[in-house]
Amino acid sequence: MTRDQKKIFKKILFYLVLAVIVIYLLFPFYWAISSSLKSEAQLSMTPATLIPRDPDTGEISFFTRNYRAIFSNGGFVRGLINSTIVATSTTILALLTGSFAAFALGKLRFKGKTPALYTILAMTMFPQVTVLSGLYAVINALNLSARVSMIFTYLLFTLPFTTWVLTSFFRDLPDEIMQSAQVDGATPFQTFHMILLPLTAPALVTTGLLSFIQAWNEYLFALTFTSIDPSSRTVPVAIQFFSGEFARQEPFGEIMAAAVMVTIPIVVLVLIFQKRIVAGLTAGAVKG
């Protein structure tokens, strides 16, 4: 085999492997979209069909039946609203509190800073189920509403993550920036919110989006805290209660349609902030 043939063979092998990886990653999304456009009869067909079709009428309205069904379900619409309120509130609180903590841990000098960092890191390692019963008892004692309970309990896993990630970004900012601000008479708070915070905008967008995704997809806490208040169910819990709600059998088509609709806001946010996300993920990767 000549040198040129080896290059061609390597290129073919590379694109073949790349195609396999792309299909492996994208096929579940395609299957969800395809299933959301199928009827219950098509979903039960053997072998399964890759392309949705209506052999009887061929009408376009047939393919949107599952989507019309989920939006006519008040529980799903309320779930979208509740998820938006809870995830947005959690993200804002996590960024506000986490940025202050990250500034202190990354730029200020005080005793116990290293143990505090490791404590924050350790908090991210606890499984949710281990603290669920204790949190439920505290929430019942305080008599908090379901939405407020979810917002504050979601901070249990979003706030440590936000603080830990932002700390590394604040630490990488040159100390000369703070020193110059102090020479100009700026207080530490002014230095933080007027100079350093704008410089960490890519990091704020990245951690904020990841925190939003965590809160948007959270299921265990939401299922527990909304058990006595169904009107506060978030969308993952609302989808779980689709079972038997529209038909005697599992409404897989409607479940898939709901899953597609729940994914769309995340995709839109990623597309809007993709430049900031890339900048945040690559910040600090190259120095000098």
Side-chain angles (χ1 to χ4, degrees), residues 33 49 62 109 115-116 151 205 210 212 231 237 267 278:
I33 295 172
T49 57
F62 172 84
R109 295 180 181 179
I151 291 171
V205 172
L210 294 176
F212 183 88
S231 63
V237 181
V267 175
V278 173

Side-chain angles (χ1 to χ4, degrees), residues 25 48 69 97 114 216 256 262 268:
L25 295 175
T97 311
T114 301
W216 180 266
M256 288 297 182
V262 169
V268 171

Side-chain angles (χ1 to χ4, degrees), residues 94-110 113 117 159 161-179 188-205 207-208 279-280 283-284 287:
L95 288 177
L96 284 175
T97 311
S99 59
F100 279 106
F103 169 69
L105 292 168
K107 284 300 179 186
L108 303 183
R109 295 180 181 179
F110 58 91
K113 183 165 70 172
L117 276 171
L159 183 55
F161 166 77
T162 302
T163 304
W164 179 266
V165 174
L166 288 179
T167 297
S168 64
F169 285 97
F170 277 104
R171 187 183 294 150
D172 289 338
L173 293 176
D175 293 333
E176 289 78 7
I177 296 177
M178 282 192 64
Q179 295 169 359
F189 179 74
Q190 289 174 329
T191 304
F192 165 71
H193 80 89
M194 296 179 66
I195 300 174
L196 297 183
L197 198 61
L199 294 176
T200 60
L204 292 172
V205 172
T207 54
K287 293 185 179 181

Side-chain angles (χ1 to χ4, degrees), residues 43-197:
L43 290 169
S44 303
M45 289 176 60
T46 304
T49 57
L50 292 176
I51 301 175
R53 64 180 185 275
D54 182 15
D56 298 325
T57 63
E59 296 177 356
I60 296 178
S61 61
F62 172 84
F63 297 106
T64 62
R65 183 172 63 183
N66 292 326
Y67 291 93
R68 287 185 281 112
I70 62 173
F71 281 109
S72 64
N73 176 14
F76 177 75
V77 176
R78 280 197 307 272
L80 284 175
I81 296 173
N82 291 332
S83 287
T84 302
I85 294 172
V86 172
T88 303
S89 302
T90 301
T91 303
I92 293 173
L93 287 175
L95 288 177
L96 284 175
T97 311
S99 59
F100 279 106
F103 169 69
L105 292 168
K107 284 300 179 186
L108 303 183
R109 295 180 181 179
F110 58 91
K111 292 183 179 180
K113 183 165 70 172
T114 301
L117 276 171
Y118 285 114
T119 301
I120 292 172
L121 180 62
M123 290 177 64
T124 63
M125 300 179 184
F126 283 100
Q128 292 181 357
V129 69
T130 60
V131 297
L132 182 59
S133 58
L135 285 174
Y136 191 75
V138 171
I139 287 167
N140 278 338
L142 297 176
N143 196 26
L144 298 176
S145 65
R147 290 190 187 92
V148 175
S149 302
M150 286 186 287
I151 291 171
F152 282 104
T153 53
Y154 287 2
L155 290 173
L156 187 68
F157 53 84
T158 57
L159 183 55
F161 166 77
T162 302
T163 304
W164 179 266
V165 174
L166 288 179
T167 297
S168 64
F169 285 97
F170 277 104
R171 187 183 294 150
D172 289 338
L173 293 176
D175 293 333
E176 289 78 7
I177 296 177
M178 282 192 64
Q179 295 169 359
S180 299
Q182 291 172 354
V183 169
D184 292 335
T187 64
F189 179 74
Q190 289 174 329
T191 304
F192 165 71
H193 80 89
M194 296 179 66
I195 300 174
L196 297 183
L197 198 61

